[in-house]
Amino acid sequence: MSWVGHPLIDRIQSAPSRAQARQLLGISPQEQMIVLLPASRWQEIRYLLPAIFAAAHQLQTQLPQARFWLPLSLEAFRQPMQQAIEQWDLTVTLWPPANQNHSSLAVLAAADLAITKSGTVNLELALLNVPQVVAYRVSPLTAWLARNLLNFSVPFIAPPNLVEMKPIVPELLQDQANGANIAATALDLLQNPQRHQQMLRDYQTMGQALGSAGVCDRAAQEILTFNKSIPGETSQV
């Protein structure tokens, strides 16, 4: 078995720099930008989105100059997201614009902070050096079943923390994932330079564990090598 690295390493190579991303999106270098990533599944819209939007509403009051962006993971989410934005009285830019197809990498790369669900996007943010607060909620019944019947217990849920098995990014789960706690944690990351810098240092260590660019090429080479080692098999390129 050979470790070739994580494929996200190659994907991030195509991401713009922070300066390039901000120029593309029309955001000045001085503006404070917070990206919201509340859902990539319908159940997350029900259980997690309200907590993240409550935090954004509080931050909007405390940081009136901050700009909020929300990259859509699915076009089908546009209408419910827009309705929730109006319900919470938020000023948020949905990306991409309606009927357009643009990558979300520029939005992530331009951000000063992300308030996000747990998932692969946590690794993308870490590789882009964007500080993040990770929150997650499921239905009370699902949480109870996981704890009491399935004996489900993991030390972390955010991939960056799982890679290094330490709390690189803050995690707020279930009842702790409420608007007040998420907003307070986000403010600490924005206003505490020591906490910010420590996260960036931990990101560098985590990134080294994921490997270096050229992951896909190495994976292809390993497949070809393995194929040639099987008697009677020939590789075709």
Side-chain angles (χ1 to χ4, degrees):
M1 180 179 294
S2 299
W3 168 245
V4 297
H6 197 289
L8 275 182
I9 295 290
D10 285 353
R11 169 171 160 77
I12 293 301
Q13 302 307 305
S14 65
S17 67
R18 181 178 185 274
Q20 291 169 336
R22 287 187 164 229
Q23 184 176 22
L24 173 67
L25 299 171
I27 302 170
S28 73
Q30 296 77 29
E31 286 182 286
Q32 193 168 60
M33 177 185 171
I34 300 173
V35 63
L36 306 176
L37 298 156
S40 60
R41 299 178 177 88
W42 286 105
Q43 63 265 32
E44 292 164 346
I45 291 180
R46 178 177 180 182
Y47 294 112
L48 182 60
L49 182 147
I52 288 182
F53 275 23
H57 181 79
Q58 183 172 331
L59 289 170
Q60 186 173 262
T61 301
Q62 295 174 284
L63 303 170
Q65 302 305 314
R67 296 181 62 176
F68 293 88
W69 285 63
L70 196 162
L72 292 169
S73 55
L74 292 173
E75 180 60 30
F77 290 165
R78 185 179 299 275
Q79 183 176 356
M81 290 291 184
Q82 189 62 60
Q83 291 174 341
I85 288 168
E86 294 170 3
Q87 177 185 348
W88 286 95
D89 192 26
L90 296 174
T91 302
V92 177
T93 300
L94 287 177
W95 187 264
N99 302 316
Q100 295 188 32
N101 184 21
H102 295 287
S103 169
S104 64
L105 274 181
V107 177
L108 303 187
D112 293 302
L113 175 77
I115 300 176
T116 174
K117 64 182 287 294
S118 68
T120 303
V121 70
N122 305 144
L123 289 177
E124 290 180 310
L125 291 163
L127 292 171
L128 291 168
N129 284 322
V130 177
Q132 59 187 299
V133 178
V134 178
Y136 208 75
R137 294 177 69 105
V138 295
S139 73
L141 176 60
T142 299
W144 186 90
L145 290 172
R147 286 194 301 263
N148 296 283
L149 295 185
L150 302 178
N151 295 318
F152 182 75
S153 177
V154 293
F156 304 106
I157 64 163
N161 295 347
L162 289 168
V163 170
E164 290 295 304
M165 292 305 292
K166 72 176 190 178
I168 294 175
V169 301
E171 298 181 357
L172 297 168
L173 311 179
Q174 287 305 107
D175 292 342
Q176 292 300 309
N178 58 59
N181 285 345
I182 296 170
T185 307
L187 277 175
D188 181 53
L189 277 175
L190 288 170
Q191 299 176 350
N192 185 333
Q194 291 77 23
R195 181 73 181 89
H196 184 132
Q197 290 302 316
Q198 182 60 55
M199 185 176 291
L200 296 187
R201 287 192 292 270
D202 289 338
Y203 279 172
Q204 295 303 310
T205 303
M206 184 220 72
Q208 292 170 5
L210 293 182
S212 58
V215 173
C216 295
D217 289 342
R218 289 193 295 273
Q221 185 58 53
E222 287 295 325
I223 293 170
L224 288 173
T225 301
F226 176 76
N227 191 41
K228 291 177 181 178
S229 70
I230 302 175
E233 292 290 335
T234 58
S235 62
Q236 295 182 356
V237 179

